[in-house]
Amino acid sequence: MPGIVIVATAEGQGTNPAALELLGGGAGLAKALGCPLEAVLVSGSGTDPAGPAAKLFAGGARRVYSVRHERLGNGSPEAALEALTAACRRAEPRVVLFSADRLGLEVAPRLAHRLGGSMITDAVALEVRDGDVVATRPAFGGKAMEQVAARATPQVVTVKLRALEPAALDESRSGELVEVPVDLDPGVDRVKLVERVEEAAEGPKLETARVVIGGGRGVGGAENFKQLEELARVLGAALGASRAAVDEGWVPASWQIGQTGKAIASDLYIAVGISGASQHTAGISGVKTIVAINTDPEAPIFERAHLGVVGDHKAVVPALTARLKELLGK
Amino acid sequence: MNIVVCLKQIIDYEIPPRAFRIDRQKKKPAMPDASLVIGPFDENALEVALQLREKAGGGRITAVSMGPESAIEALRKALAVTADEAVLLSDPAFSDLDPFGTARVLGAAIKKLGGADLVLTGRQSGDWDAGQVGQLLAEELGAPCVNFAFRAEPGGDGRVRLYKETPGGAEILEAGTPVVATVTNAETNQLRLAKVRDLMAANRKPVPTWSAADLGLDPAALAAGRIEVLDLYVPTYDARCEFVTGETPEDKASALARRLVELKLV
Amino acid sequence: MDLSNPMREVYWNITGKNLMYVLLVPVLVAFFRGFYSKYRLWKIGRPTRRRDNWRRRLAGFFRGAVVQEKNFRDRYSGWMHFFIWGGMLVLFIGTANVALDEYLGVPTMEGLFYLYFQSLVLDVFGLLAIVGLAMALYRRYVVRPPRLHRTPQDAVFLGLLLLVLVTGFVIEGLRIAVTEDPWAAWSPVGWAFAAAFRATGMAAETMVGLHRFSWWFHLALAFAWIACVPYTKLTHLVTSPANIYMRSLGPKGRLEPINLETAEFLGASNLRHFTWKQLFDLDACTECGRCQDACPAHATLKPLNPKAVVLDLRDYMHEYGPLYLRRAQDDPWAAPAETPDGRPVPVMVGAVIAEDALWSCTTCRACMEACPVEIEHVPAIMDMRRFLAMDQASMPEGMADAIRSLETRGHPFRGTGGARTDWLQGLDVPVLDLSAGGGTRGAAGGAGADGAGPDADFDVLWWVGCAMAFDERNQKVARSLARVLHRAGVRFAILGNREKCTGDAARRIGHEYLFQTLAGENVATLNQALGNGRPRRIVTACPHCYNTLKHEYPDFGGHYDVVHHTEFIRELVDSGRLKLDGEVRETITFHDPCYLGRYNDVYDAPRKTLKDLSGAEVREIERARESSFCCGGGGALVFVEERIGTRINQTRARQAAETGARTVCTACPFCMTMLADGLKTTSGDEVQALDLAELVDRATAPAGPAAVGAGTGASPGDGSR
């Protein structure tokens, strides 16, 4: 019986964390559609799939299709696509859930094409209506939300991280582990890796970061940016600044966000000590959620912010960092 | 080397949330005065193509856009930065296509052009942001696909060297042709300004329009979409600032941290 | 000797004076050859009309070249220069009179004319010339103001001139001493010299010999000096007055349009692309450095110095110009590539004039205002920018972003995709509906706003401008002005989203193509909006829009009656429609926006209104009116990150704060942006920047100043520009 298949990747003896979220969300769909919940486990050749598979069983998967190949460990989407196609041909799923990470972003649409199914990306919520998956996803840079129904099967969906409640693990559960032989088409060699360049700079780039923390004149000095750096480390955020802070020489010019600096499009932007002059806000129109921390309740930044704290950042930011460390278990 | 760059004309992505309006019945944005622009990543793709042609010391860049008549402006802009040719794909049957339909049309157009060594698209459109068309186009053309590319250079033996952004840095890849690459932004690929002489020449250049019939596509088959948009709405949380309260700065910080976690923002 | 007829013997003690004419030949040859070769270089430039309207030109010539008004703005320089050139001129006339007497029999060397003019006046002016030279030497070599540089040339020709004058008096003194001239007292300086010679106890024989030697020496020096004229900066004796006569008579704010359909080149990248007048400018420069002193870019350590631009171009023209005279290669507009001995000719834009220098120009026109000989620096800089912007598509990143935004969105503010009518939320501001059906249309989001067709009842079209519509700080100014217009009962309307950037930003970047595109669209819109019915005016609060609408749109078929809001408010106050009853207890200083003041001579209207505010105390900044110091935002530099040197806006903010005023009033959205930012950095929250409309809003608010004041003050917050 065609089921819900979630795509997991092996990480050591477990899986990628998002797999549990997919199992959690997938269980809801399986229940609504009355079909089984299964998983495809992608792993490199050196990995024993039994461990990760056990995690998937514990998370609610009834069957795990394991695809294993040395080419699957190095992030080659061409190889992953071949392997996943093989696995899905075997599983004949009704719904395929990917996490909207690099694997999902790079492979899911092509998989849907190969399987003759439908594709929805970046879902933040899933439901079933009239037997079809209906996903809610942001569009227009988060300025609108759309609800999209899949109308061709298999219904492939990539789901944003943390959109779904992770499945509760029940180690007593077990299931069937099916090894799917992977016979990679020579086509995967059409793209060859020449060199891998590891970025020396720590932290993500401003333009592509999902979380950005920006400091303005109100931060009050170069040394105070250290507090923001600490917060950025906890959140895996990139650091930016308003022109005022750059002007003061507290931070390098490459940090500047705004009309004469960089434009960011992060999911979250925390503006600290930034009043919100249009020079600056010009660069944050693509941000989905803006959080402002400022002593002045009248600061224009609060007109643009979704969440606001009126207070002295010198006290708020370290406390926030500490609290987030606890909550995120870091 | 034949390079095809696919461009989408979209509603200005810089419209701020407070000015963003939609027509919920039509499930479309409703801002008649809004500017129409080229998708930001499509502009990056065009720049990558221009730089590749420079580095290769030659080659032919064809800009292709599927859209209404107005999309010719996007193509003129491509011609102005010295794309060699432009083709507009316009037909009532092409309106409101899902990414599969779009890829089908673009694929047919590229085949009609005689194929391409490298097809470049933006990593996502900048409006609906499905981020699928480039990859689906690769399937249509039976070509491999390199995503998040930010730079292209001529490789050995007629191959293309592509620089791919990865979470940890970058990968340098070499691909045989044909290959599709979806392009992301980087410091090096902001679209250049046009020289005025080229701008004026671009206005005089003919831009052919191809319809479904020209591409040998069946409108009915295209219309059968694989997805259906049920609703489009403006989320309400954008409306006003929610002030986090507390007695002390520490209280406020704790409350903010909780809200961030509740809202799945961190 | 007939004592009743004062006279002296011409050519006393001189034999073989005709040798003088033999010597004169090579002098004249050198003189005219020099100017002819200069003339050939000027002719490299394109044609332009600069000899029309002789009456106006002559009037300007009188003020500029005869009275030399601008020279006297610096008193010391003014008198110094007047003494030198006045002395030279009078002495030259005196010398010419001798020739008239000798060859034409005009009795200039006898009678009262001889006594008063040839003796007394000449002596006095000769002395004044020496005084002037002493002042010049003292200033250049002792005071050493930075605007003057010191070349060997300066020392040589000042010294030479001093020697000519001194030897002149030596000759006169010796003659008087030997001939015991009864009218010697009428030549007081010569008389003093004579007394000195006599006091030395020198023998008459010796004096006669010395006189003869001095006479020839004086002649040789004077001839040498004349021969030098076309080869040194003495050229300005001829070229500067001519340049003043041929100055631009057009509106100061109008740039020469380019016919893009027929243009064979875009902007200026070599000498051929300039007009002959622009090349003539280079030789008219006196190297006085007033432009350098006036330039805000130079004052803040930018690589731009208007004096250096002129002199570097001049040197380039003198060195490589002759190569342009050879028949050009295939392209008649190309620059010569190399010298006959194979050296490459440096590129004019990039090497001779650095790109950074060109992009540092705020087009504030302070240099041109200061230039005593009417050199046109800004149009030349603009022509080179046009080359960079259009031919090379090369410009600073902030400007490129502004161009991109203008191309797609019709306004230069990157990252702003909102509607032009966002600012009028909650205000009753009618938006014209120019769509085919006409009728009425509410502004997007403007609750209660009435729409109005082109036939609607309005007297004044308010051109809002992009900065007022999109920039948050300036939106407050727009809201203030809307209230003020309502209170005065002005029937006005705005164009809403049909308004596009006037194109000033594009034009001052150098992107003439984009400017003309925008101008074409706007002229069509305005002609439709203003076309039928009674004459209507355009009012705008942006001096850049004002200048472009008023002076630049006529070239594109748009002829409008345009007033700036400072002028319009003045009219409303004068006619009693606006009563400035409310108290505005502020010490205020007014910052003159360049495009309002220097470009359009509107200085008094805003000042009068400020003085009328009850409770306000107005103080002047040192650099006010014609010599106002730019905010740093002109020439589209408001869009550029100022990375080199110090910041112009902070410099200006300090100048304003030095007056002790707590409010800096301005009347330009770019000045507002720049000054508010500069003041925040230099004065914290001590000094605020307000637009005149905001002060008038407070003074006219029915609820009293306090209630409205809160809504019109500078934006609060800790600042992040």
Side-chain angles (χ1 to χ4, degrees):
Chain A
M1 185 186 184
I4 312 291
V5 167
I6 70 110
V7 178
T9 49
E11 286 184 6
Q13 282 303 298
T15 66
N16 56 327
L20 289 181
E21 294 175 17
L22 296 178
L23 284 173
L29 298 183
K31 196 174 168 200
L33 291 169
C35 64
L37 178 62
E38 303 175 340
V40 174
L41 178 66
V42 182
S43 47
S45 54
T47 319
D48 177 3
K55 281 281 184 307
L56 294 170
F57 294 138
R62 298 255 289 276
R63 187 181 287 133
V64 171
Y65 299 92
S66 165
V67 286
R68 211 154 45 119
H69 194 280
E70 54 176 340
R71 297 293 297 275
L72 298 179
N74 65 5
S76 159
E78 299 292 326
L81 175 61
E82 294 278 342
L84 284 166
T85 308
C88 287
R89 292 234 160 92
R90 176 79 179 271
E92 294 185 335
R94 184 165 178 176
V95 175
V96 181
L97 296 184
F98 278 86
S99 174
D101 53 18
R102 276 300 171 99
L103 178 72
L105 290 176
E106 295 200 63
V107 171
R110 297 172 75 187
L111 180 68
H113 192 279
R114 290 193 178 183
L115 300 177
S118 62
M119 180 71 231
I120 300 172
T121 50
D122 292 336
V124 293
L126 296 174
E127 60 182 292
V128 172
R129 246 184 258 174
D130 303 328
D132 283 329
V133 170
V134 173
T136 304
R137 65 183 297 276
F140 299 94
K143 285 174 277 199
M145 300 297 286
E146 63 167 331
Q147 286 198 327
V148 200
R151 294 292 189 231
T153 306
Q155 304 180 343
V156 184
V157 182
T158 64
V159 186
K160 288 214 155 204
L161 218 55
R162 288 184 282 280
L164 303 172
E165 280 300 316
L169 289 180
D170 179 352
E171 305 287 348
S172 67
R173 284 192 286 213
S174 65
E176 183 190 356
L177 178 62
V178 182
E179 291 269 1
V180 179
V182 180
D183 186 17
L184 287 184
D185 185 279
V188 301
D189 286 330
R190 289 181 298 183
V191 179
K192 282 204 172 99
L193 180 67
V194 178
E195 194 186 337
R196 189 167 274 145
V197 186
E198 299 298 330
E199 203 159 64
E202 55 184 282
K205 289 183 181 173
L206 260 185
E207 298 96 318
T208 50
R210 298 168 65 93
V211 181
V212 175
I213 296 167
R217 197 193 301 280
V219 171
E223 65 286 356
N224 296 344
F225 268 85
K226 293 267 186 293
Q227 295 183 344
L228 304 194
E229 279 169 27
E230 187 61 28
L231 179 59
R233 246 193 303 280
V234 172
L235 294 179
L239 274 172
S242 74
R243 178 172 147 183
V246 174
D247 283 359
E248 297 287 352
W250 298 339
V251 297
S254 61
W255 287 28
Q256 187 176 322
I257 299 167
Q259 190 163 331
T260 51
K262 293 194 166 92
I264 58 169
S266 56
D267 292 338
L268 174 64
Y269 176 54
I270 303 180
V272 181
I274 287 178
S275 76
S278 60
Q279 151 74 236
H280 180 70
T281 53
I284 60 171
S285 56
V287 173
K288 291 187 183 105
T289 304
I290 298 168
V291 176
I293 301 174
N294 204 308
T295 46
D296 179 1
E298 300 291 322
I301 189 70
F302 289 121
E303 291 164 24
R304 299 289 291 267
H306 305 93
L307 279 172
V309 174
V310 178
D312 183 359
H313 70 88
K314 288 191 204 73
V316 175
V317 170
L320 178 65
T321 309
R323 189 82 179 101
L324 282 171
K325 257 187 195 162
E326 281 170 42
L327 289 172
L328 299 176
K330 286 187 184 176
Chain B
M1 181 175 285
N2 277 322
I3 307 163
V4 170
V5 184
C6 303
L7 306 171
K8 183 178 185 184
Q9 189 185 47
I10 63 171
I11 196 158
D12 190 351
Y13 49 90
E14 285 189 348
I15 292 172
R18 69 190 141 76
F20 197 81
R21 308 271 181 281
I22 51 162
D23 182 331
R24 214 157 166 176
Q25 253 68 51
K26 289 185 183 151
K27 295 160 205 154
K28 280 183 184 172
M31 290 160 285
D33 289 327
S35 313
L36 295 173
V37 302
I38 299 180
F41 300 109
D42 296 349
E43 286 202 346
N44 299 137
L46 182 54
E47 180 62 31
V48 166
L50 293 166
Q51 289 178 16
L52 172 60
R53 190 183 59 184
E54 280 161 13
K55 287 173 196 148
R60 189 159 192 79
I61 299 174
T62 308
V64 176
S65 184
M66 188 190 86
E69 279 296 310
S70 66
I72 199 158
E73 292 307 318
L75 293 171
R76 293 238 178 267
K77 189 165 178 188
L79 290 171
V81 291
T82 71
D84 299 282
E85 270 182 87
V87 182
L88 175 66
L89 313 176
S90 199
D91 191 301
F94 297 165
S95 61
D96 302 328
L97 289 184
D98 69 9
F100 283 80
T102 305
R104 173 68 45 83
V105 174
L106 291 172
I110 290 166
K111 283 173 193 156
K112 187 176 161 76
L113 285 167
D117 299 306
L118 173 64
V119 177
L120 294 165
T121 71
R123 57 181 273 191
Q124 59 199 64
S125 60
D127 53 1
W128 294 91
D129 278 340
Q132 299 178 22
V133 169
Q135 297 181 52
L136 298 178
L137 187 52
E139 291 301 306
E140 292 285 334
L141 298 172
C145 185
V146 173
N147 298 297
F148 304 102
F150 59 91
R151 185 165 147 191
E153 291 171 0
D157 302 331
R159 295 161 73 89
V160 186
R161 181 172 277 230
L162 291 159
Y163 291 69
K164 172 180 179 171
E165 189 203 279
T166 62
E171 286 175 0
I172 303 170
L173 304 163
E174 279 213 350
T177 59
V179 59
V180 176
T182 69
V183 176
T184 192
N185 63 311
E187 281 173 10
T188 53
N189 65 17
Q190 185 182 26
L191 182 59
R192 65 195 61 189
L193 288 180
K195 296 177 179 176
V196 166
R197 223 169 270 292
D198 299 330
L199 207 59
M200 294 174 73
N203 289 336
R204 292 189 290 268
K205 229 172 194 169
V207 176
T209 303
W210 291 348
S211 66
D214 293 328
L215 297 174
L217 294 171
D218 174 15
L222 283 175
R226 301 192 190 195
I227 53 168
E228 183 187 348
V229 179
L230 302 179
D231 195 5
L232 181 70
Y233 57 94
V234 173
T236 45
Y237 59 74
D238 267 359
R240 71 162 117 8
C241 184
E242 171 193 328
F243 282 95
V244 175
T245 53
E247 288 290 308
T248 65
E250 289 72 24
D251 290 350
K252 290 177 186 171
S254 288
L256 176 61
R258 275 197 305 278
R259 279 304 277 151
L260 290 175
V261 173
E262 274 167 31
L263 293 169
K264 300 190 168 72
L265 291 169
V266 293
Chain C
M1 196 171 278
D2 178 2
L3 288 181
S4 66
N5 185 19
M7 62 169 293
R8 74 169 165 92
E9 185 190 339
V10 180
Y11 299 121
W12 169 83
N13 189 34
I14 301 303
T15 51
K17 68 173 160 59
N18 286 339
L19 178 62
M20 172 171 82
Y21 299 103
V22 178
L23 292 176
L24 186 60
V25 173
V27 170
L28 290 178
V29 167
F31 185 86
F32 287 105
R33 240 189 77 105
F35 273 105
Y36 178 69
S37 59
K38 285 234 149 76
Y39 170 80
R40 298 229 305 159
L41 295 182
W42 302 329
K43 293 292 277 184
I44 293 168
R46 296 182 288 120
T48 182
R49 272 167 61 85
R50 287 301 176 93
R51 275 161 289 195
D52 53 334
N53 208 343
W54 63 272
R55 278 197 187 84
R56 261 188 81 191
R57 292 193 177 283
L58 218 52
F61 178 84
F62 181 75
R63 296 172 55 175
V66 181
V67 182
Q68 302 191 352
E69 284 176 346
K70 283 189 180 178
N71 249 347
F72 277 96
R73 284 183 191 171
D74 172 350
R75 285 271 175 85
Y76 186 96
S77 301
W79 286 112
M80 175 203 91
H81 187 253
F82 172 72
F83 291 159
I84 299 174
W85 81 268
M88 301 280 300
L89 185 69
V90 169
L91 292 171
F92 179 77
I93 291 170
T95 310
N97 284 338
V98 174
L100 286 179
D101 182 275
E102 178 80 0
Y103 300 106
L104 298 176
V106 182
T108 57
M109 295 304 285
E110 56 189 279
L112 291 179
F113 183 79
Y114 168 70
L115 269 195
Y116 290 140
F117 187 79
Q118 291 295 89
S119 298
L120 182 61
V121 173
L122 254 64
D123 249 41
V124 169
F125 272 82
L127 183 65
L128 287 181
I130 290 176
V131 169
L133 280 172
M135 288 169 78
L137 288 165
Y138 174 74
R139 198 180 50 143
R140 186 175 295 265
Y141 296 101
V142 181
V143 181
R144 294 181 167 236
R147 70 176 166 95
L148 294 177
H149 60 275
R150 283 160 294 277
T151 62
Q153 207 191 85
D154 296 310
V156 167
F157 92 79
L158 283 177
L160 210 56
L161 194 54
L162 191 61
L163 262 179
V164 170
L165 290 163
V166 171
T167 52
F169 283 124
V170 165
I171 295 162
E172 188 175 46
L174 289 167
R175 178 184 59 79
I176 290 169
V178 174
T179 61
E180 296 184 1
D181 187 342
W183 293 282
W186 292 92
S187 304
V189 183
W191 186 72
F193 270 75
F197 283 122
R198 280 199 204 97
T200 61
M202 202 185 289
E205 297 291 288
T206 319
M207 284 199 259
V208 169
L210 189 60
H211 173 269
R212 194 170 292 161
F213 170 77
S214 300
W215 193 92
W216 285 107
F217 185 57
H218 174 81
L219 179 110
L221 287 177
F223 278 12
W225 197 82
I226 292 168
C228 278
V229 166
Y231 305 96
T232 61
K233 81 175 188 190
L234 294 175
T235 313
H236 88 269
L237 263 64
V238 176
T239 49
S240 294
N243 208 50
I244 292 169
Y245 181 82
M246 297 189 294
R247 74 199 182 281
S248 166
L249 296 183
K252 290 181 277 188
R254 170 184 173 268
L255 282 179
E256 196 66 39
I258 298 176
N259 184 336
L260 292 161
E261 291 304 319
T262 58
E264 293 178 72
F265 55 88
L266 296 168
S269 61
N270 69 47
L271 296 177
R272 295 188 212 283
H273 303 151
F274 284 126
T275 66
W276 63 261
K277 173 60 173 58
Q278 286 175 310
L279 301 183
F280 192 87
D281 268 355
L282 308 178
D283 274 321
C285 179
T286 67
E287 306 180 16
C288 75
R290 284 174 172 79
C291 53
Q292 170 183 327
D293 269 4
C295 178
H298 183 260
T300 54
L301 311 175
K302 306 288 184 294
L304 171 66
N305 176 350
K307 173 176 161 180
V309 169
V310 170
L311 297 185
D312 290 347
L313 285 176
R314 183 196 67 185
D315 293 346
Y316 171 78
M317 175 172 77
H318 289 170
E319 182 164 3
Y320 300 102
L323 299 175
Y324 282 77
L325 298 171
R326 302 153 174 244
R327 197 53 245 136
Q329 312 79 335
D330 313 337
D331 179 0
W333 294 104
E338 54 179 39
T339 61
D341 55 353
R343 277 184 304 128
V345 174
V347 287
M348 192 178 84
V349 178
V352 179
I353 305 295
E355 292 186 24
D356 273 347
L358 297 172
W359 294 123
S360 297
C361 178
T362 68
T363 72
C364 77
R365 212 182 171 279
C367 50
M368 290 174 65
E369 186 63 39
C371 181
V373 301
E374 305 289 342
I375 289 170
E376 293 158 35
H377 313 68
V378 177
I381 288 171
M382 282 311 311
D383 280 341
M384 291 185 274
R385 276 199 193 182
R386 282 170 163 180
F387 164 73
L388 288 174
M390 290 194 286
D391 194 274
Q392 305 285 299
S394 157
M395 63 187 73
E397 199 43 47
M399 289 189 184
D401 284 331
I403 291 289
R404 289 188 181 101
S405 184
L406 282 168
E407 280 176 346
T408 45
R409 301 179 181 93
H411 67 74
F413 292 93
R414 169 184 150 190
T416 310
R420 275 183 188 271
T421 45
D422 282 353
W423 65 274
L424 46 80
Q425 295 256 357
L427 289 172
D428 181 19
V429 175
V431 181
L432 278 189
D433 183 0
L434 300 175
S435 59
T440 59
R441 179 167 72 81
D450 291 325
D455 298 320
D457 218 10
F458 70 98
D459 303 314
V460 171
L461 183 74
W462 176 10
W463 183 273
V464 179
C466 308
M468 293 282 177
F470 291 111
D471 177 74
E472 281 170 30
R473 174 65 188 90
N474 284 298
Q475 285 176 346
K476 293 182 178 168
V477 178
R479 294 173 69 84
S480 279
L481 184 55
R483 284 190 287 267
V484 168
L485 293 178
H486 274 306
R487 282 175 204 143
V490 177
R491 293 184 303 177
F492 68 95
I494 67 167
L495 289 170
N497 279 328
R498 288 296 298 275
E499 190 184 296
K500 297 265 181 298
C501 172
T502 56
D504 166 77
R507 193 167 223 201
R508 264 69 200 178
I509 286 170
H511 207 303
E512 182 73 4
Y513 177 87
L514 185 51
F515 165 71
Q516 290 190 12
T517 308
L518 291 164
E521 288 177 36
N522 283 326
V523 166
T525 304
L526 284 169
N527 287 350
Q528 189 193 349
L530 302 169
N532 39 7
R534 62 181 175 279
R536 285 156 168 166
R537 304 171 84 184
I538 299 175
V539 65
T540 180
C542 172
H544 296 263
C545 297
Y546 172 71
N547 182 68
T548 300
L549 290 167
K550 188 170 177 176
H551 299 308
E552 302 197 310
Y553 277 14
D555 284 326
F556 304 93
H559 302 270
Y560 311 115
D561 177 9
V562 193
V563 285
H564 189 251
H565 77 306
T566 54
E567 299 174 290
F568 194 59
I569 286 172
R570 193 60 228 158
E571 281 178 29
L572 295 173
V573 173
D574 282 342
S575 63
R577 290 171 73 182
L578 209 52
K579 302 226 182 308
L580 305 174
D581 295 332
E583 282 224 331
V584 181
R585 294 214 159 275
E586 304 272 1
T587 36
I588 306 171
T589 188
F590 186 71
H591 163 81
D592 288 283
C594 306
Y595 277 76
L596 187 64
R598 265 194 297 271
Y599 274 102
N600 284 289
D601 300 304
V602 177
Y603 297 112
D604 295 323
R607 284 182 169 77
K608 273 190 191 156
T609 305
L610 287 179
K611 294 214 170 83
D612 285 351
L613 296 176
S614 79
E617 183 196 334
V618 184
R619 298 178 183 178
E620 284 289 353
I621 316 183
E622 192 185 329
R623 288 192 63 170
R625 302 178 70 99
E626 287 87 352
S627 62
S628 177
F629 190 88
C630 180
C631 69
L637 285 176
V638 69
F639 303 110
V640 180
E641 201 55 38
E642 210 175 324
R643 298 239 186 263
I644 314 174
T646 56
R647 289 191 179 264
I648 296 179
N649 62 337
Q650 292 175 9
T651 307
R652 184 54 168 172
R654 280 188 210 102
Q655 293 173 0
E658 273 166 20
T659 62
R662 299 288 296 266
T663 298
V664 182
C665 175
T666 189
C668 169
F670 296 143
C671 294
M672 173 61 75
T673 300
M674 300 304 287
L675 290 178
D677 177 26
L679 287 168
K680 214 170 248 179
T681 316
T682 56
S683 313
D685 296 329
E686 293 285 298
V687 186
Q688 59 178 344
L690 289 178
D691 190 277
L692 183 78
E694 293 176 306
L695 287 165
V696 172
D697 182 20
R698 277 164 68 172
T700 55
V708 180
T712 58
S715 54
D718 55 351
S720 79
R721 274 187 203 285

